[in-house]
Amino acid sequence: MRDLAYRGRVLIIDDQDATRYVFRRILTKAGFQVEEAATGAEGLSKSLDGPDLIISDVNLPDMLGYDLSRRIKSNPVTSSIPLLQISATFISEESKVQALEGGADSYLVQPVEPTFLVAQVQALIRMRKAEISSRLSAIEWQTTFNALNDGLALIDPAGVILRTNQSFLRLLDLKHSDAEGKKLFEIFDSKFGLPLTDFLAFRSAGQSPELSYGSRWFRVLYDRIPEEPFREDAFILLLTEVTQQRKLQETLKMTERLAATGRLAHVIAHEINNPLEALANLIFLVQQSPVLDRGNRELMNQALIQLERISEITKQILIYHRESKQPVLADGTDLLQGVLAMFRPQMMVNHVELITHFKSSRPVWVHPGEMRQAFGNLVSNALDAIGEDGGTLRVSCIDTTDLLTKRKGVRFVFSDSGSGIPQESLLHIFDAFYTTKDLKGSGIGLWLTSEVINKHRGRVRVRSRTSGPFRGALFDIFLPERRPDESAIILQEVHS
Amino acid sequence: MSDQTKPRETIFVVDDEPVVADTLAAILRQVGFATNSFHHPQAALDQAQINCPNLLITDVIMPGMTGIDLAIQMQKVCPQCKVLLFSGQAATADLLEEARTRGHEFELLSKPIHPADLLAKISNQE
Ligand SMILES: Nc1ncnc2c1ncn2[C@@H]1O[C@H](COP(=O)(O)OP(=O)(O)O)[C@@H](O)[C@H]1O
Ligand SMILES: [Mg+2]
């Protein structure tokens, strides 16, 4: 071989010895290594060695040129090898088309000018190398980007999705065929319910809105990929899932809001207490006046009674938000009465008849502030469910023994004549932030209540009817008599 | 009215809300106590150097000095002086607990208190 650089390996398939000879000369001179085959079958088997290019006659004794090309192109081992077909005689444009349709990459007619042949062969081999390297980089791209958790898509300048990684498809519940080759704006519309143009407008306004699809939230980055100077720019779309962060943030916000509400109530209650004290004293002083007649003295008495009502409310609020670290032994009836007192005004306004049945003599260990809050939420929900047109709220408190665990304790029942809870809601009412009251609800009431009851080793049960004469909801709470730590031991015994 | 022949009990009422301090003092005066009302805790301490009260009724959360600190200092000057704290705030529970660990036990009434109840408390103190 000459000391020319190796430029590639060419397989020549031709039944004419003379033609093969000429081609071999031309190509070896130009630096190519040449293999030969005299029949289609031989050519096919030699093509498996992976030459860089195949030159074949269209007129082979054992098969037609386009049969050969079809077979080369349909075998995955050889499909990427460029194929140059040569016809010895002039043939029609039609045959040329046929040859190319069979998969030939190029087509030449004899006699072939040597320089033209070399140029053609070089071009085809260069093309193939470029293709291989681009395919390799595509594979690399795919493996690297499939390993990412973030969803990634490449978008061409016309807004068509070129490639995506696995995460992109997984995050948006897409199949390959749903994404690649599709317009990005369609995906945006159907997944995020947001026109791409709106998103781009937000983006250019410096905002980066988080988008949601289903129950997932994403931070979305859409950016230009700088390319060679003369090419139009492609874009990259990056989806980072932020659902967890968002949930955390929302919980934090809610906790903060709760704490703030508590503090606020506290401050207000205290601020009210001082003027109340002054008012009580002033009224008392007036009452002491010797010149006050009987009628006015009675009016002053009434004023004092009203004042006491206000005092009761502020006192309740302050107790409500007082933190008690240790559980105390408390009387269930006292707890309930304290809570019910707070709702008395609302019950009056909404014509709610309160029927109580207090028959408990067994004190329970509780964190009183928390338990008041738990009970308060139940009463508040019952009043919401009854609405403004009146109804009945039954509250009872009796000593009992839990059938399941045989623990002694106290049972508290809140039963209202309100709307009841539909079957499908029952599963969710204890979930945090589940509410059917839109802006009026927070959805934390029952969640908090069940947390508190669980902390006290108690149990909550619900029953509900949404129609009929016994319509309404019934919340049944059991609190064990013993200290929380003692009852924990008992619970374990039962479970083991 | 109490017996005029024996020296009248002196009560200091301290509250940073002037109306509260003054009206309470007026009520106590009506039932025969000698009362002074103060709107600043320090003023009550200054007066105690001249004339020891038998009873100190003080708000707890005040600017400058808490009612608990006032009570402790007052009892240094006037060891015989009894103390009633009254407060509208729940946070005072912590202050009270802290005073207890330092060896001072005070009774706390919560505001608002009906004047009749307060009078009953005071007669119990004696
Ligand atoms: N007594 C009740 N009657 C009917 N529905 C109720 C009752 N108690 C709770 N619910 C339902 O449970 C949901 C959750 O209650 P809750 O956690 O207290 O949140 P919120 O009251 O803020 O909505 C309510 O929105 C309501 O749909
Ligand atoms: Mg609620």
Side-chain angles (χ1 to χ4, degrees):
Chain A
M1 209 141 286
R2 318 271 158 84
D3 58 337
L4 266 168
Y6 167 77
R7 310 178 75 170
R9 204 149 51 86
V10 179
L11 171 64
I12 301 168
I13 311 171
D14 200 311
D15 57 325
Q16 308 274 332
D17 295 346
T19 316
R20 290 207 306 276
Y21 176 75
V22 173
F23 279 12
R24 172 187 277 280
R25 274 202 55 149
I26 299 171
L27 291 173
T28 41
K29 234 173 133 182
F32 295 97
Q33 197 183 317
V34 177
E35 310 277 332
E36 291 177 30
T39 63
E42 193 191 350
L44 279 179
S45 86
K46 285 197 170 165
S47 73
L48 296 177
D49 295 342
D52 296 305
L53 176 88
I54 299 169
I55 298 176
S56 114
D57 183 15
V58 290
N59 256 327
L60 292 169
D62 57 339
M63 68 182 71
L64 286 174
Y66 59 81
D67 263 347
L68 178 82
S69 59
R70 205 169 286 147
R71 286 165 79 166
I72 287 175
K73 290 297 177 184
S74 61
N75 183 342
V77 179
T78 54
S79 66
S80 72
I81 303 170
L83 177 63
L84 173 60
Q85 288 204 322
I86 314 277
S87 84
T89 51
F90 172 81
I91 44 165
S92 64
E93 278 299 308
E94 219 170 306
S95 337
K96 191 172 164 181
V97 167
Q98 211 177 22
L100 292 173
E101 270 180 354
D105 296 279
S106 190
Y107 193 90
L108 294 177
V109 178
Q110 289 276 39
V112 180
E113 182 71 27
T115 47
F116 192 64
L117 176 73
V118 171
Q120 208 31 233
V121 167
Q122 275 174 351
L124 286 171
I125 288 180
R126 223 182 5 245
M127 222 169 75
R128 176 174 192 234
K129 280 189 179 147
E131 206 171 283
I132 287 175
S133 69
S134 85
R135 192 165 308 163
L136 272 180
S137 74
I139 290 168
E140 253 168 48
W141 192 91
Q142 208 69 38
T143 34
T144 312
F145 290 107
N146 280 346
L148 287 180
N149 283 328
D150 289 350
L152 203 66
L154 269 186
I155 324 290
D156 80 1
V160 173
I161 299 176
L162 291 177
R163 284 186 205 145
T164 63
N165 68 350
Q166 289 295 330
S167 300
F168 185 89
L169 301 175
R170 176 177 51 80
L171 291 172
L172 296 181
D173 290 332
L174 289 167
K175 292 195 294 286
H176 254 286
S177 54
D178 298 333
E180 288 177 18
K182 295 282 156 44
K183 292 272 192 187
L184 178 63
F185 81 85
E186 286 172 7
I187 304 262
F188 243 78
D189 259 0
S190 74
K191 295 297 175 185
F192 303 131
L194 178 81
L196 179 60
T197 47
D198 286 9
F199 172 75
L200 295 179
F202 279 131
R203 196 170 130 269
S204 49
Q207 291 169 279
S208 59
E210 288 175 358
L211 303 183
S212 72
Y213 162 63
S215 56
R216 296 187 149 128
W217 282 92
F218 301 103
R219 196 163 46 234
V220 182
L221 192 99
Y222 185 71
D223 239 328
R224 204 173 288 273
I225 310 170
E227 279 271 7
E228 294 139 63
F230 301 113
R231 297 229 339 233
E232 273 186 281
D233 287 343
F235 289 87
I236 191 164
L237 182 80
L238 186 73
L239 295 182
T240 309
E241 185 168 2
V242 292
T243 315
Q244 286 307 321
Q245 289 93 310
R246 246 189 120 93
K247 276 200 184 137
L248 199 68
Q249 240 173 26
E250 271 166 17
T251 318
L252 279 179
K253 248 188 247 162
M254 191 54 81
T255 327
E256 228 164 61
R257 201 177 304 157
L258 271 183
T261 316
R263 263 200 308 277
L264 189 66
H266 209 275
V267 169
I268 291 174
H270 179 240
E271 288 307 311
I272 291 174
N273 277 346
N274 268 323
L276 277 184
E277 174 70 33
L279 207 57
N281 291 346
L282 289 168
I283 292 174
F284 187 81
L285 283 172
V286 174
Q287 276 184 319
Q288 302 305 307
S289 159
V291 294
L292 203 64
D293 64 36
R294 256 183 118 204
N296 282 333
R297 195 176 302 280
E298 180 50 28
L299 290 181
M300 280 293 123
N301 258 334
Q302 300 264 342
L304 216 49
I305 290 171
Q306 294 305 316
L307 195 136
E308 251 156 36
R309 270 182 60 193
I310 307 178
S311 313
E312 182 61 19
I313 293 171
T314 58
K315 204 181 288 170
Q316 288 293 341
I317 292 174
L318 286 174
I319 294 169
Y320 230 57
H321 295 286
R322 188 175 295 168
E323 302 273 298
S324 53
K325 293 180 196 87
Q326 291 300 314
V328 298
L329 206 51
D331 181 58
T333 308
D334 282 354
L335 274 175
L336 270 179
Q337 269 169 340
V339 171
L340 290 169
M342 285 201 69
F343 291 94
R344 209 148 273 147
Q346 191 187 343
M347 290 191 220
M348 252 157 64
V349 172
N350 292 350
H351 312 288
V352 177
E353 187 192 0
L354 176 67
I355 301 173
T356 55
H357 177 73
F358 296 144
K359 277 267 161 58
S360 165
S361 55
R362 198 178 272 164
V364 277
W365 284 100
V366 292
H367 296 269
E370 292 177 13
M371 201 47 79
R372 274 192 199 93
Q373 204 146 356
F375 288 161
N377 292 337
L378 294 176
V379 175
S380 151
N381 282 343
L383 296 183
D384 284 348
I386 290 171
E388 293 172 4
D389 298 331
T392 317
L393 172 62
R394 289 169 195 274
V395 179
S396 66
C397 168
I398 46 171
D399 294 342
T400 185
T401 302
D402 188 35
L403 284 179
L404 197 68
T405 56
K406 302 282 180 283
R407 291 179 296 170
K408 282 187 180 168
V410 180
R411 197 175 151 202
F412 302 83
V413 180
F414 301 78
S415 133
D416 63 65
S417 66
S419 55
I421 307 165
Q423 197 63 36
E424 61 272 19
S425 295
L426 271 177
L427 291 172
H428 305 292
I429 55 173
F430 292 106
D431 292 352
F433 311 127
Y434 176 83
T435 179
T436 57
K437 299 171 191 166
D438 293 327
L439 285 179
K440 281 197 202 142
S442 65
I444 50 172
L446 286 183
W447 173 69
L448 217 112
T449 297
S450 66
E451 292 275 303
V452 170
I453 305 291
N454 285 340
K455 179 172 164 185
H456 287 79
R457 306 276 163 191
R459 178 183 43 66
V460 193
R461 276 199 302 217
V462 198
R463 268 186 286 156
S464 152
R465 286 210 179 115
T466 50
S467 61
F470 301 110
R471 197 184 72 156
L474 182 149
F475 287 81
D476 181 350
I477 314 283
F478 170 80
L479 287 185
E481 144 189 69
R482 299 175 186 247
R483 266 175 175 282
D485 44 347
E486 286 175 66
S487 59
I489 297 162
I490 290 174
L491 259 187
Q492 277 168 2
E493 281 168 7
V494 169
H495 284 191
S496 58
Chain B
M1 291 276 151
S2 62
D3 191 354
Q4 288 288 326
T5 55
K6 90 176 188 200
R8 291 198 303 166
E9 297 260 325
T10 306
I11 302 181
F12 282 9
V13 182
V14 187
D15 197 305
D16 58 324
E17 293 256 350
V19 192
V20 174
D22 296 349
T23 51
L24 200 55
I27 290 171
L28 295 172
R29 206 170 295 127
Q30 275 193 351
V31 294
F33 292 105
T35 57
N36 288 1
S37 69
F38 303 91
H39 310 149
H40 302 284
Q42 188 56 50
L45 271 186
D46 294 346
Q47 181 63 28
Q49 306 284 352
I50 303 161
N51 171 23
C52 262
N54 304 87
L55 176 65
L56 168 71
I57 300 179
T58 175
D59 187 18
V60 177
I61 312 286
M62 291 179 290
M65 191 188 299
T66 71
I68 292 170
D69 284 337
L70 170 64
I72 292 171
Q73 298 211 33
M74 180 70 78
Q75 286 187 331
K76 274 188 200 147
V77 185
C78 314
Q80 299 306 312
C81 178
K82 297 191 178 102
V83 173
L84 262 185
L85 301 172
F86 75 143
S87 165
Q89 247 153 330
T92 47
D94 297 339
L95 290 174
L96 218 57
E97 185 55 45
E98 195 199 312
R100 194 166 297 141
T101 59
R102 281 157 57 192
H104 302 276
E105 190 97 27
F106 298 118
E107 185 167 4
L108 177 74
L109 303 175
S110 61
K111 274 188 205 173
I113 182 168
H114 192 290
D117 293 340
L118 182 68
L119 291 176
K121 265 273 180 284
I122 292 172
S123 51
N124 282 346
Q125 288 266 318
E126 292 171 64

